């Protein structure tokens, strides 16, 4: 049997949410986690999309995530809040922290929310986009389990700790930087290994700490921080703000989602929300952003470059395209989701884009 | 005549401050600017040290810096402040902004100070170190004039906009990340050019946007952002927070300190101070930092690596060494300072470490 490839994003999101509800998650939490996964797929960040449904379910089943946990505020002051996720879903904890940060920034001009006791929270863009809707600037940091060595080291110590920043614009697409602090994702090295290809020097080291172009050796070694000592420093500072400062894990005390089944991850996050209106009227700010973005996009281009993109622009264009034409999933992921559906009495095929729709869409393009 | 090489840091700082005072700067401002320069030399960041005395003096003389300006608070709320430097010295404006940020963070838990109308403010470490003394975490961003292309572009659009972050520790040296968002400083390319050496691929592009290993072609082209699109994104976000948000210049509206003599630089800065005590007792935090730093320093080392350093550690060790043994300056810089001294009726030679002291120090090492 050939499995379907393309899915309607809203139906797929409903399917995911239903799966989580049938696995014992409250509907509002299930909706948040499903929205986080689907948004990643829409924006082309497939590694953080519905492919993660299986691992999230596993972690609920093995009591590594507590979807009934009460998320608590442990400390609060004018401009800072400390949240304990109590091991709820990362996306649910993150969304709660974001809401607090936006609300407080509205009141005080800016606010920091530190989070401990959380789990993998999906993409940073998920939070940043919500802040942009409220005309806020948001910086989000999260630590992660060990994957990269310190400069001079040979084995993983810091995570590829991501940072994301979102800034609204006027007519232009918003600025959305969402990046891991590694040179490339481990996923790219896995792909090279599967194809039997070499990887460029500088992506990774082997298990003895030597630079390598062999993808297999790289997978047994460590991914490298972006920009050498600079990426190492940025990754550490994220670990400090998200982990050391909040009371979450840091370094080896952040557990690996795929490998550690003895205790929760204890991931930490850090949210900084800024109310633009306190600095200048939002309309003025948006005009300034538009000018900045238009000027950068209007720069002369290198040979072979068709367009200069601002961070997040390619993902935003993908989101528009995929909302219209559907999300295409690899057959391995589709098969896994079909199985998951069966386990939870749900039919993934309800989420496919019908042949008829596909033809209708194809006709429009002619 | 052979010029002296080594200088006592305190006497050199006094000399610089006296020069600025004789050039019409108030003593308190002169002291700040001198301290910023000397601290850079102490920490081995020679590019930001007393070598900049001449350009600062030039900019005062040409009315490009106004050392009598009144630094004003233009907006204030619980957690944010907007400061207009009114074109005073960057280090003076930055120090004022820092004081406000630390004071407000003490009151509110955290505070953001945005700054417009400033000038080149020296190193970020200068501010970060003062925050560490007060048990605060500080993030400092500044934009700068155009030196790097956007990803896909061929000519400078964004600055090597630096970011600095400081975090206190207990027994361990503090964490001090202070970095430009370029792969390397332009200074390193100048040195390669002077030596007739090639530069590694990836440092720069030529004026047509092609990758180059030729140092001369690189100098006529652009330095590249660290980590490709990631450094480009980080540099933009710094420009947005320090420039677009504050009302300062951004992109081409930040003027070059060496090249533009028609109007002030209008540099923007962004300070975020966090009072650690609001998250956990400072003693607990310092224990956690010490554990983190000790563990990372205790990691197995790659072949040929003697020690794993945390960001800022090498500079802190240099500062200790140079405070003891003096600051060594290149003869070109010494000659320039002697000339400057003559112009302002001051004798640089008063700041040298006497031969006798040098011998005494040398004996101690035996």
């Amino acid at each position: 049997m050939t499995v379907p490839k393309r899915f309607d994003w809203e139906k797929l999101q409903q399917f995911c949410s239903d799966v989580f509800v049938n696995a014992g998650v409250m509907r509002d939490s299930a909706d948040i986690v499903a929205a986080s996964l689907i948004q990643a797929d829409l924006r082309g960040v497939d590694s953080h999309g519905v492919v993660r449904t299986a691992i999230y379910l596993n972690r609920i089943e093995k009591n590594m995530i507590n979807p009934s946990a009460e998320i608590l505020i442990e400390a609060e002051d004018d401009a800072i809040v400390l949240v304990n996720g109590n091991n709820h879903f990362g996306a649910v904890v993150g969304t709660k922290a974001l809401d607090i940060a936006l609300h407080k920034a509205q009141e005080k001009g800016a606010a920091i929310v530190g989070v401990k006791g959380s789990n993998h929270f999906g993409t940073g863009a998920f939070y940043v986009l919500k802040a942009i809707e409220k005309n806020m600037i948001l910086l989000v940091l999260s630590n992660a389990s060990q994957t990269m060595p310190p400069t001079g080291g040979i084995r993983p110590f810091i995570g590829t700790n991501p940072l994301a920043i979102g800034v609204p614009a006027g007519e232009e697409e918003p600025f959305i930087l969402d990046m891991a602090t590694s040179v490339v994702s481990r996923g790219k090295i896995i792909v090279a290994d599967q194809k039997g290809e070499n990887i460029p020097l500088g992506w990774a080291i082997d298990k003895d700490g030597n630079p390598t172009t062999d993808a297999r050796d790289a997978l047994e070694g460590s991914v490298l921080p972006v920009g050498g000592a600079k990426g190492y420093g940025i990754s550490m500072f994220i670990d400090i703000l998200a982990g050391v400062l909040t009371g979450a894990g840091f370094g080896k005390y952040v557990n690996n989602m795929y490998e550690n089944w003895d205790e929760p991850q204890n991931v930490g996050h850090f949210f900084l929300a800024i109310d633009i209106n306190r600095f200048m009227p939002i309309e003025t700010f948006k005009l300034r952003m538009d000018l900045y973005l238009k000027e950068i996009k209007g720069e002369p281009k290198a040979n072979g470059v068709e367009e200069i993109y601002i961070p997040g622009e390619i993902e935003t264009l993908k989101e528009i395209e995929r909302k219209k034409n559907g999300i295409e999933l690899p057959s391995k992921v589709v098969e896994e989701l079909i199985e998951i559906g069966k386990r939870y009495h749900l039919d993934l095929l309800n989420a496919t884009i019908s042949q008829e729709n596909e033809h209708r869409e194809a006709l429009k393009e002619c």
Side-chain angles (χ1 to χ4, degrees), chain A residues 247-266:
Chain A
F250 53 84
K252 70 180 176 193
Y253 308 107
V254 179
N255 291 309
N256 187 299
M257 177 165 71
Y258 294 98
E259 290 167 14
N260 191 313
W261 298 93
D262 296 324
E263 46 184 12
Q265 283 199 277
N266 200 12

Side-chain angles (χ1 to χ4, degrees), chain A residues 128-129 131-133 135-139 164-170 172-177 274 276 282 285-286 288-290 292-293 310-311:
Chain A
V128 151
L129 277 158
I132 287 171
E133 276 172 26
N135 283 329
M136 294 264 181
I137 292 175
L138 186 76
L139 168 71
I165 301 134
V167 184
E172 299 295 310
E173 297 298 346
F175 175 94
I176 300 165
L177 178 68
I274 304 171
I276 295 164
I282 185 74
F285 177 80
K286 285 185 173 178
R288 285 167 68 86
M289 273 301 284
D290 280 350
Y292 186 54
L293 300 177
I310 59 157

Side-chain angles (χ1 to χ4, degrees), chain A residues 56 71 81-98 112-124 127 139-144 162 237-249 254 265-272:
Chain A
Y56 284 175
I71 301 167
V81 178
L82 176 62
V83 166
N84 187 341
N86 273 321
N87 200 29
H88 207 310
F89 268 106
V92 177
V93 179
T95 299
K96 171 95 176 181
L98 173 75
I112 286 171
V113 178
V115 180
K116 66 180 174 182
S118 188
N119 285 286
H120 186 278
F121 77 170
T123 68
Y127 309 98
L139 168 71
V140 191
L141 313 173
S142 180
N143 63 9
F237 122 70
I238 295 173
D239 214 2
I240 292 169
L241 287 191
V244 181
L245 178 67
T246 62
V254 179
Q265 283 199 277
N266 200 12
V267 172
H269 318 305
F270 179 95
F271 292 78
L272 167 65

